[in-house]
């Protein structure tokens, strides 16, 4: 079964930015080999550091408010206990006792609100730290940089969609061919079949592969239905590159030690025979 396809990396990762900013440093370029966790770019951090410092100050202020609210509780509790004792001896009007109770309850409520404000400030500080960490762009996988879409000084805006800064191919020593097989031939194709293919870059050298998957989703182009098939290819010498077009032959049946004869030998025309 013949088909055409495109060579591609098994895993291709688009590396983006979750925050907006200006590119201050680039540590990877086209064809750079990177390791997982390696820093490949950095955004300008001054604005994010300012937000972090502000969040730290807000947290310190919120914790101080908790201490002040606790002191207010202690003070109002003493006054309420004193008013309660005087009320039992009929030495204090009921209205003063109610005022002392209300002041104490208000102090307790204020303390709870201050504690909630501390949690809110801690969350804001954590968010500011996360945003600062996201200014450092790292490689998510080991691989090779196929594309670099930004330059130093360029502003990236991360709003509804993260901008793509780099495209990294995981391992070009193990690649795959995404071939489109016609619906008339798809019934003879199965996973595990051997595949041979050629590319224009090396026309005299056939390459070997193995069919890994036949995807069930049909692709219709100008009323022609095809199915994508994934063919695994070993590329230890890195001669095959992503994007190369491959002419694929899926071996659906083979016969060993078969006798072959020319087609002309199967035709007999007596001498002098006229149609």
């Amino acid at each position: 079964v013949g088909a055409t396809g495109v060579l591609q990396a098994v895993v291709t990762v688009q590396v983006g930015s979750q925050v907006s900013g200006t590119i201050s440093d680039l540590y990877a370029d086209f064809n750079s080999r990177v390791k997982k966790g390696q820093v490949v770019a950095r955004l300008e951090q001054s604005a994010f550091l300012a937000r972090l410092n502000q969040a730290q100050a807000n947290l310190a202020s919120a914790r101080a408010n908790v201490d002040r609210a606790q002191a207010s509780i202690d003070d109002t509790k003493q006054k309420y206990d004193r008013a309660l004792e005087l009320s039992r001896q009929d030495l204090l009007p009921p209205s003063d006792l109610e005022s002392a109770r209300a002041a104490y309850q208000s102090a307790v409520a204020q303390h709870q609100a201050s504690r909630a404000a501390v949690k809110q400030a801690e969350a804001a500080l954590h968010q500011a730290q996360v945003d600062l960490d996201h200014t450092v762009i790292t490689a998510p996988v080991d691989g090779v940089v196929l594309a670099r879409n930004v330059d130093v000084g360029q502003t990236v805006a991360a709003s509804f969609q993260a901008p793509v800064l780099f495209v990294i191919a995981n391992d070009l020593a193990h690649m795959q061919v995404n071939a489109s097989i016609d619906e008339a031939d798809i019934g003879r194709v199965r996973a595990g079949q051997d595949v041979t293919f050629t590319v224009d870059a090396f026309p005299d050298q056939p390459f070997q592969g193995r069919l890994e998957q036949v995807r069930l989703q049909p692709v219709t182009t100008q009323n022609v239905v095809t199915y994508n098939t994934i063919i695994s290819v070993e590329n230890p010498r890195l001669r095959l590159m992503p994007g190369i077009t491959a002419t694929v032959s899926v071996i659906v049946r083979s016969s060993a030690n078969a006798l072959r004869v020319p087609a002309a030998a199967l035709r007999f025309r007596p001498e002098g025979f006229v149609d």
Side-chain angles (χ1 to χ4, degrees), residues 220-240:
T220 304
T221 305
Q222 296 181 352
N223 295 328
V224 177
V225 180
T226 58
Y227 292 86
N228 289 337
T229 58
I230 305 301
I231 301 163
S232 63
V233 178
E234 297 298 323
N235 186 31
R237 299 173 61 185
L238 303 180
R239 302 181 69 185
L240 299 173

Side-chain angles (χ1 to χ4, degrees), residues 42-237:
R42 192 185 303 272
L43 300 180
E44 175 61 41
Q45 296 182 337
S46 56
F48 297 93
L49 286 172
R51 295 174 190 171
L52 180 64
N53 292 334
Q54 182 179 4
Q56 291 174 341
N58 291 338
L59 177 59
S61 176
R63 288 174 175 169
N65 289 336
V66 171
D67 295 338
R68 183 167 56 248
Q70 183 62 50
S72 178
I73 287 178
D74 296 339
D75 180 57
T76 55
K77 181 66 167 59
Q78 291 178 356
K79 292 179 179 180
Y80 174 62
D81 291 342
R82 189 181 303 113
L84 186 62
E85 182 62 27
L86 292 175
S87 176
R88 291 173 180 171
Q89 300 176 11
D90 294 331
L91 299 176
L92 187 73
S95 59
D96 291 347
L97 177 62
E98 293 176 358
S99 297
R101 183 188 299 113
Y104 171 67
Q105 293 175 345
S106 177
V108 172
Q110 183 61 41
H111 182 265
Q112 294 176 348
S114 298
R115 294 179 60 184
V118 168
K119 292 184 179 296
Q120 186 175 6
E122 288 175 345
L125 176 61
H126 177 71
Q127 182 63 53
Q129 183 64 56
V130 169
D131 290 342
L132 179 62
D133 294 340
H134 284 163
T135 60
V136 179
I137 312 300
T138 59
V141 294
D142 297 344
V144 179
V145 177
L146 299 184
R148 174 180 59 81
N149 301 325
V150 292
D151 292 303
V152 174
Q154 183 174 342
T155 300
V156 294
S159 53
F160 296 102
Q161 184 176 1
V164 178
L165 308 183
F166 298 90
V167 178
I168 299 177
N170 180 230
D171 185 8
L172 295 183
H174 306 281
M175 301 185 68
Q176 62 186 19
V177 178
N178 190 342
S180 299
I181 295 183
D182 190 83
E183 61 177 328
D185 299 322
I186 198 65
R188 295 183 290 166
V189 175
R190 297 287 185 275
Q193 292 173 334
D194 293 328
V195 177
T196 62
F197 67 94
T198 58
V199 296
D200 291 341
F202 307 100
D204 299 328
Q205 179 181 355
F207 295 90
Q208 306 295 323
R210 181 172 293 275
L211 198 148
E212 293 288 340
Q213 183 186 50
V214 178
R215 294 181 176 173
L216 301 179
Q217 181 182 11
V219 179
T220 304
T221 305
Q222 296 181 352
N223 295 328
V224 177
V225 180
T226 58
Y227 292 86
N228 289 337
T229 58
I230 305 301
I231 301 163
S232 63
V233 178
E234 297 298 323
N235 186 31
R237 299 173 61 185

